[in-house]
Each structure stands twice: as structure tokens, then as C-alpha cells.
Amino acid sequence: MLLNEVVASTCLLLFCLLGFLPPFKGKGSVKWFLVAASLFIFLDLRWHGQFLLYGSLLCLIIVALRKKFHRAVGRFPKLFNLANGMLLLLFLVAAYIPWQFPVDPLPEPTGRYAVGVTDFELTDHGRPELLCQKKSCEDRKLRLRMWYPAKNAGNRAKRSYASESEVSGTMAGMAKLMSLPGGIFSHFSRVTTNSVENAPVIDKQQLPVVIFSHGLYSYMWQSTALLESLASEGYLVFSIHHPYDAAAVEFSSGELLEAYIPEQNQLQGEIQALRKKAYSEIDINKRFDFFMQYIERAYAASDSKLTRSAPQWVADQLFVADYLVEGELPARVRAVASRGRYDKIAFTGMSFGGSTAVAACRLSKRCAVTINLDGADSHFLGINSAPTVPTLHLAHDVHRLQQQSEPELPVNTELLYNDFSEQRFAHAGREKNLYSYIVKGSHHFAFSDASLLLPGLLARILAGETEAEAMLDLQLNLVLSFLQAGLDTDDFSNFLAAANARQGRLSKHNSEFVSDWWNSLSEERKEQIAIRLQRLKNETWRRDN
């Protein structure tokens, strides 16, 4: 809460409490003082505090007309107390709203370096926009944010979480996607990050490089706290904003590209029903069949997410990885980007971005390690295939969430939603390059800045029971130690030690249930599945090419 909101909330609550006390000398003067002090809400008003303003004005009317008010209800003490109690309840709600939308700065990064940040744009000439709805669509354009280890920037101002233009464009677009009022995230412009725009980069070459993709319909700085900390530890981080599959993004030309939402019809409903069964059915034979039906039906129906968005995001990630080495970057970007090491890149992402990052890694000679933060497979290159590089998958507490949302249905806690991908069926649970963990008590949006920006009830709904800074600490320690092993030492002992040290909040997922299932099948059944998978991979190849 802002200081003026704290003052107004305190004054209004005291005003109500005075109403329950018997008359005393100077009571009226105290009420006048409290009302006057509460009007300081005017000094820095945001919409989240408007209800406090209305409360102040209401109290002003009550004090101004207190004699008439007392004559009207003073003879009915119960009615008077009821009215005062309702007023108190209204003020508590008015105070809760700005508390639910705080403007606290993001947690300080953990590393020894200051953090620099800059945005830039790239165009992949010759690659069309697949989701553009205009009559004439241009080549694929991307907006990126780069965080990097910087020299001490002195007293230069740190960047806000979202600029005024980003609030009116991207964050208003995000609110629209969630069917919320357009200004609900306007307080993000008051939240301070730890990054300084265009700060001088450190005097060091061969900085390890991380490419990050956000979740579907999200935005490129959705995981700022995590990515800032990586930069402070010496990493060069590039986050991609994927147009049309993200909250609205504004380019330097002033063009605003809003999210494309596919038409929801009966066929889409059937596809989503199959997807739900593919990730929740307790019988593994039925689950695998639902998984295949979901993909086959989606491909046959040219489902936008799987047939256009997924390959487009993979192409975005591959394009960025190559362009950073071979393309002509803006001078201010090149001065920093030229210090990166691009023969060993980490492809990472959250949700849909994590899934497609794993797929892009399979296709890139530059990829040395990949991290998927709670993304269900949406590209399918890795079905019944060993991981090509060390792969980390962190998942939310999906089994617990299923039990809470549908307690009447059984849950198979031995199966996770990616168990048919990034491992060979016969070796499931024993692939040496696959590390899979469940974060206990977490929900999907715990793998973003959501719980840092929206505490309280909203955080519990979106992110689960895990405290925001504890979740950030867990992610950072696991991601950082995994990156160090994958990009530098090739020794994963520190990562495993970090995971073991957090067993209270983390559980290792063992998918041997899949290999047991596969090894129990007849050779005829295995052959049928192999033929079906080959058809699917052929279709995936045609889709991508």
C-alpha cells in the first residue's frame, strides 16, 4: 500500500471505532481531524484507492450532518450500531483492495553484479505471421528484453515493472484476456525492479546465455524477479515476447499487436476434453490413448495452438539463437550481446514457453541445456525419445490440485503430464539426462512474478500455498545450479544437493510406472503404438515444414 492509503485506511477505521464509544469531550473534533487526515488520499490517488476516497467523502458528510444523523437514529441504539458496523465493514473492504495490489519493489537479486536491461526488436524476414488477421501481414516481428550483468550504475533510476505505455498496452491487454477491468494492473508502473536501463556491461567475455519464453498469453517480463537474479549471477538473458500468442505488445513504430483468440466451438471443446483426460486419466492404457487422440484430433482440426502457435514459437527461439550470432543487432544491443557465449545456450521457458523451449532445443546445435517450468508438452517431438541434453522439468502440485478441485475423482499420483515425452518408454524413470520434480503446494502461476505482485487471496488462487519469496528462492537455486552444471561444469552434484536440501518443498517425480507399463505390453501392441507414433511424427514434420 502507498503511504497515503495507509493513512486513509487507519483514519477511517479509527473513525468507525469511535462510533461505538460513548460520547466524550472533543469526540467531534477528533472525528473532524480523522476525516481531514483521510483526505490525504488525494495526494497520490490510484484507482485501487478510490474506495478509500469515497469512504473519506462519506465520513465528511456524516460529520457535517452528525446532529441530524444522531436525531434520526440516536433513539435506536441497535440501528445506530448496525449502521456503524456496516460502515466499518465497507471501510475494511476499501482498505483491502489497495493492500491486494501492492507496489513493493521486487526482491533484490542474489548475485554480486548490478543488473542492466534493454529492449530491442528483430524481424525474421521471409517468415510470415501465422496468426495475423489483417489483409496484408508483414514478416514475423519479435520484441525482446535483455537482462545482463552490469557495472555499478550509481544513483541511476531503476526501471519500473511496467512503463505507462506497457500498462496501457500490454497489461490492459492482459486484463482483457482475463475478462478484468483494463486498469486493474495499472499499479505495475509503481513497482520498482532492480534493473537499470542501458547500464554499462561488465568487462567480461563469454557470458553464459539463456533464452526464455513466457507462458501462453503472457508477456516477456512475466518472470522478471528470476531473470534479474540470473543476470546478477553473470548470465546474459534474452526473453522473447511472442506476438499474437501473448498479451498485446507495442513496437517502436507504435503498432500494437493484440492477442489472437481462436474461435471456441464444439470441436475445440472436444479437443480440450480429450486433453483433460490425457492428463488426468488414472489408467495408463486409457491415458496414453487419450493423449494420442488429443494430438490426432487437434492436428486433424488444425488446432491453432498446436498447428500454428507451437511451431511458430519454436521457430522464434531458433531464430533468436542464430540471429544473436549472425544478425545485425542495434549498436547498444551488440555492445552487450557480443560478450555472450553462443555455442552452449540454455533454452528455457514457463508453461507453453517451457514446452516449446524443450522442442527448440532438440532442433538447435547451440542448445546445451533446457529448462521447462511447468509446461505440458505442446510440440511432441520428444514423445518416446531420450532427451538430447540435460533437461529440467519443474511442475506444480498437479495431483494435490486435482484432489482439491474434484475430490470425488481418483488421482494416479505416479503419472505426471509429461511422462510420455522426453524419455523412451522402455527407459522411463531411468533417463540420465531428465530431472523431474514437483513443487509441493504450488499452482501454475507460482512459476512467474504473479504471487510477488498479487499477494493474499489472489496469490493463493494463482500460485498456491507456497510463499512468494520462498518460491522464488527455490526456483532460483534449482535453475542456477542446473545452468551451472549444463553450461559450465557438466557436474550435476551441486544441483542434486540443492534439490535434496529442499525435499520439504520438493518431491522428485519417478516415472518408472511408464516403463513398467511399456514392458508389460505384447510385442504386437508395441508395434501398433510405434506405427501410430511414426504417423504422428510425420505429421509433426509436415506441420513444421
Side-chain angles (χ1 to χ4, degrees):
M1 294 177 73
L2 299 174
L3 178 59
N4 63 325
E5 293 167 347
V6 173
V7 171
S9 300
T10 303
C11 290
L12 292 178
L13 293 177
L14 288 174
F15 181 92
C16 283
L17 293 175
L18 279 176
F20 291 106
L21 298 178
F24 61 86
K25 187 178 181 179
K27 184 176 181 181
S29 299
V30 173
K31 284 192 171 185
W32 271 113
F33 171 80
L34 291 175
V35 171
S38 72
L39 290 173
F40 276 97
I41 190 72
F42 271 116
L43 291 180
D44 190 12
L45 184 65
R46 55 176 178 146
W47 81 260
H48 309 83
Q50 285 181 357
F51 294 99
L52 288 172
L53 172 61
Y54 300 150
S56 298
L57 296 175
L58 178 60
C59 288
L60 181 62
I61 294 172
I62 291 173
V63 170
L65 302 176
R66 67 185 186 280
K67 291 183 179 179
K68 292 183 178 180
F69 178 74
H70 279 285
R71 277 199 299 269
V73 297
R75 292 172 296 170
F76 307 98
K78 289 185 178 180
L79 181 61
F80 181 86
N81 288 336
L82 177 62
N84 208 51
M86 292 177 65
L87 197 62
L88 178 61
L89 180 61
L90 288 173
F91 290 164
L92 286 172
V93 172
Y96 176 79
I97 293 173
W99 176 83
Q100 181 64 76
F101 297 92
V103 292
D104 301 325
L106 293 184
E108 291 189 8
T110 56
R112 61 192 180 101
Y113 298 113
V115 180
V117 64
T118 193
D119 291 1
F120 62 103
E121 298 166 14
L122 298 178
T123 300
D124 190 358
H125 296 287
R127 180 160 62 102
E129 286 285 10
L130 300 181
L131 298 178
C132 174
Q133 301 300 297
K134 297 184 294 185
K135 290 183 179 179
S136 176
C137 297
E138 301 174 351
D139 295 330
R140 178 70 164 172
K141 294 188 300 186
L142 300 174
R143 188 166 176 83
L144 294 94
R145 182 159 295 177
M146 174 177 65
W147 288 272
Y148 55 92
K151 298 175 183 177
N152 194 322
N155 294 323
R156 290 175 59 181
K158 294 179 178 178
R159 184 172 188 154
S160 61
Y161 188 78
S163 66
E164 292 296 339
S165 63
E166 287 168 341
V167 163
S168 61
T170 301
M171 302 321 305
M174 187 78 175
K176 181 179 178 182
L177 290 169
M178 301 172 72
S179 300
L180 295 172
I184 195 167
F185 301 124
S186 59
H187 66 295
F188 285 0
S189 64
R190 298 171 178 265
V191 175
T192 305
T193 69
N194 298 283
S195 306
V196 174
E197 289 196 68
N198 300 315
V201 66
I202 60 173
D203 296 321
K204 188 178 179 182
Q205 300 292 333
Q206 296 291 291
L207 297 175
V209 173
V210 176
I211 294 177
F212 181 86
S213 284
H214 57 74
L216 194 66
Y217 300 128
S218 190
Y219 49 95
M220 64 184 175
W221 65 93
Q222 63 147 63
S223 298
T224 294
L226 173 64
L227 302 182
E228 280 187 333
S229 279
L230 291 182
S232 77
E233 298 283 355
Y235 288 82
L236 186 53
V237 183
F238 297 90
S239 184
I240 307 170
H241 198 119
H242 300 273
Y244 297 107
D245 289 309
V249 56
E250 184 175 5
F251 287 85
S252 56
S253 63
E255 182 181 19
L256 185 71
L257 298 183
E258 297 188 2
Y260 166 73
I261 307 297
E263 179 185 353
Q264 298 301 303
N265 50 38
Q266 183 177 347
L267 184 57
Q268 286 295 318
E270 292 173 1
I271 291 171
Q272 289 307 309
L274 284 171
R275 184 180 188 272
K276 181 178 180 180
K277 291 179 179 178
Y279 296 141
S280 62
E281 171 60 49
I282 63 170
D283 181 271
I284 191 168
N285 282 294
K286 293 180 180 179
R287 188 177 184 128
F288 178 75
D289 196 49
F290 284 134
F291 179 65
M292 294 299 294
Q293 285 184 52
Y294 157 57
I295 304 169
E296 292 162 349
R297 184 74 64 86
Y299 277 14
S302 296
D303 176 75
S304 178
K305 177 181 174 182
L306 300 189
T307 63
R308 289 187 284 180
S309 299
Q312 188 80 309
W313 284 42
V314 170
D316 289 345
Q317 294 154 358
L318 295 173
F319 165 70
V320 168
D322 291 339
Y323 197 93
L324 292 172
V325 179
E326 303 164 359
E328 193 65 33
L329 295 167
R332 62 184 169 79
V333 178
R334 185 172 63 250
V336 178
S338 62
R339 297 178 182 273
R341 178 183 178 182
Y342 296 97
D343 62 324
K344 296 181 73 175
I345 296 177
F347 282 66
T348 67
M350 181 263 183
S351 191
F352 195 72
S355 165
T356 52
V358 173
C361 182
R362 283 186 168 273
L363 300 173
S364 175
K365 62 184 180 182
R366 305 183 192 280
C367 183
V369 63
T370 184
I371 297 175
N372 178 1
L373 300 178
D374 205 31
D377 192 1
S378 299
H379 194 276
F380 313 118
L381 278 180
I383 297 177
N384 194 27
S385 300
T388 54
V389 300
T391 300
L392 173 62
H393 178 211
L394 294 181
H396 75 277
D397 201 343
V398 59
H399 301 130
R400 188 168 183 269
L401 194 57
Q402 287 175 349
Q403 290 168 339
Q404 290 177 339
S405 60
E406 298 178 301
E408 72 281 1
L409 299 179
V411 175
N412 188 337
T413 57
E414 296 188 78
L415 286 173
L416 197 58
Y417 46 77
N418 278 346
D419 280 348
F420 299 125
S421 303
E422 300 309 314
Q423 58 184 349
R424 293 161 292 180
F425 296 161
H427 298 264
R430 298 186 295 275
E431 294 283 12
K432 66 176 184 178
N433 270 341
L434 181 61
Y435 302 82
S436 185
Y437 294 86
I438 297 173
V439 182
K440 297 177 182 177
S442 66
H443 293 181
H444 187 55
F445 289 99
F447 296 90
S448 70
D449 294 327
S451 56
L452 292 167
L453 300 167
L454 302 168
L457 178 61
L458 284 178
R460 289 183 66 87
I461 294 171
L462 295 172
E465 298 174 0
T466 306
E467 196 269 331
E469 294 201 23
M471 182 67 188
L472 176 61
D473 172 76
L474 182 147
Q475 284 186 87
L476 179 61
N477 277 279
L478 294 180
V479 167
L480 189 60
S481 57
F482 199 79
L483 290 175
Q484 287 171 339
L487 298 179
D488 185 19
T489 66
D490 290 324
D491 179 4
F492 286 84
S493 58
N494 286 340
F495 165 76
L496 293 172
N500 289 334
R502 289 161 177 78
Q503 286 185 353
R505 290 182 287 155
L506 201 66
S507 63
K508 189 176 188 305
H509 176 63
N510 189 330
S511 52
E512 288 186 6
F513 193 77
V514 175
S515 57
D516 292 341
W517 160 73
W518 180 256
N519 294 327
S520 70
L521 299 178
S522 66
E523 292 303 317
E524 181 182 5
R525 175 64 173 148
K526 290 179 182 178
E527 182 63 23
Q528 291 171 349
I529 291 175
I531 293 171
R532 194 176 183 185
L533 285 174
Q534 189 57 54
R535 283 201 303 265
L536 176 63
K537 291 191 176 184
N538 291 342
E539 183 63 30
T540 301
W541 185 88
R542 282 195 295 272
R543 176 199 66 180
D544 293 353
N545 293 276

